[in-house]
Amino acid sequence: ACIGVARLVGVARGRRPAAGTRPARAGRYWVAACNVRSHRLEVANAGGNAGGTAGAVAGVTSGIDGSTRTVIAEVPVGRGPFGAAVNEVLNKIYIGNISALNDNSANYRVNNGITVIDGATYAATPANLDAIAAGPLNVQQQMAVNTATGKMYFRVGGASTTIGVLDGATNIGTPLPSSLGPVGVIRVNPVLNRVYIGATNGLLHVLHGANDLEIATLTVGGAPPVGGTQSYLACNRNPGRALFPHFHLNRHAPPYG
């Protein structure tokens, strides 16, 4: 686990680091991902920008040292960073950005989609998602890394599908079938090399991580009565099972695995 991560739980809930170590830019921390390799917390600053005012144009991601609670890096990302994931094996940070309304500029890769950050140098590179849609895309929460393959799965808006997969070596994204959605939640078990996709229509799709082909489909109930998306799904790597609730019956469905 990250050193001092317990002290940083408040950051992910909207509070700031210790006095004197706050980000130089205005905004608010929205989502966070723990980088076990570097003992750092990578936090998307959803309201920060280069000018130090509100508006998230462009947004930034703050790298926070887990032991000192010090902001050690601030990386410009897309216009509205609302998702974060980390691949500790490749030491890469992935930030999902919301697309700007009517953004048809040539810079849509930089402004929207996914920003890939080197965990050692904090150098940022926009991912190429043109195979999904050659234009602005929404990539928010629900970003899941498979350390067994180096791939990262993400929920996407603004395309004919609601899920894509990013190659960890090339930073190129490709679409997965639209039949897997509408996607609400994504989880990965790298031990079994399985990808679990919860859809808002009450289906759980199980993919083999090696080729992303569907190997099972389960009916697990509908979306929760509040929120509109199937957002609860957990993987237990030890027995190799996926756990998910059945909202309409007020209980969890039998574990799959």
Side-chain angles (χ1 to χ4, degrees), residues 8-249:
L8 290 171
V9 170
V11 172
R13 294 178 179 172
R15 296 194 291 272
R16 296 180 176 182
T21 64
R22 294 173 181 171
R25 305 174 185 186
R28 63 189 182 279
Y29 291 131
W30 190 259
V31 292
C34 184
N35 190 338
V36 177
R37 181 169 179 172
S38 62
H39 305 296
R40 295 171 183 170
L41 196 67
E42 317 297 347
V43 193
N45 189 344
N49 60 40
T53 59
V57 183
V60 295
T61 289
S62 300
I64 302 175
D65 186 280
S67 59
T68 65
R69 293 185 295 168
T70 301
V71 177
I72 59 175
E74 288 191 314
V75 185
V77 289
R79 290 189 171 182
F82 271 82
V86 170
N87 186 330
E88 296 96 346
V89 176
L90 298 178
N91 199 15
K92 286 188 175 184
I93 305 155
Y94 302 100
I95 300 298
N97 305 294
I98 298 175
S99 70
L101 184 63
N102 299 322
D103 181 4
N104 297 315
S105 70
N107 293 324
Y108 62 84
R109 286 187 187 174
V110 175
N111 295 336
N112 319 129
I114 297 173
T115 305
V116 183
I117 303 174
D118 187 302
T121 65
Y122 281 100
T125 304
N128 184 343
L129 306 183
D130 286 2
I132 301 174
L137 289 172
N138 282 311
V139 180
Q140 304 180 39
Q141 299 180 39
Q142 299 307 325
M143 303 172 70
V145 170
N146 187 353
T147 54
T149 61
K151 293 185 286 189
M152 193 273 290
Y153 300 83
F154 55 95
R155 187 173 64 186
V156 63
S160 59
T161 184
T162 55
I163 184 169
V165 57
L166 190 73
D167 187 300
T170 64
N171 295 334
I172 295 176
T174 54
L176 291 179
S178 60
S179 58
L180 299 176
V183 173
V185 60
I186 307 170
R187 296 290 185 268
V188 172
N189 186 333
V191 176
L192 294 180
N193 200 9
R194 297 291 186 268
V195 183
Y196 302 96
I197 302 169
T200 59
N201 57 12
L203 296 180
L204 177 69
H205 303 276
V206 184
L207 310 185
H208 197 298
N211 52 24
D212 296 328
L213 294 180
E214 188 166 5
I215 58 177
T217 304
L218 293 82
T219 300
V220 297
V226 178
T229 60
Q230 168 65 278
S231 56
Y232 301 94
L233 173 62
C235 291
N236 190 337
R237 300 182 184 183
N238 189 19
R241 293 179 177 175
L243 305 172
F244 39 87
H246 195 310
F247 293 99
H248 300 297
L249 298 181

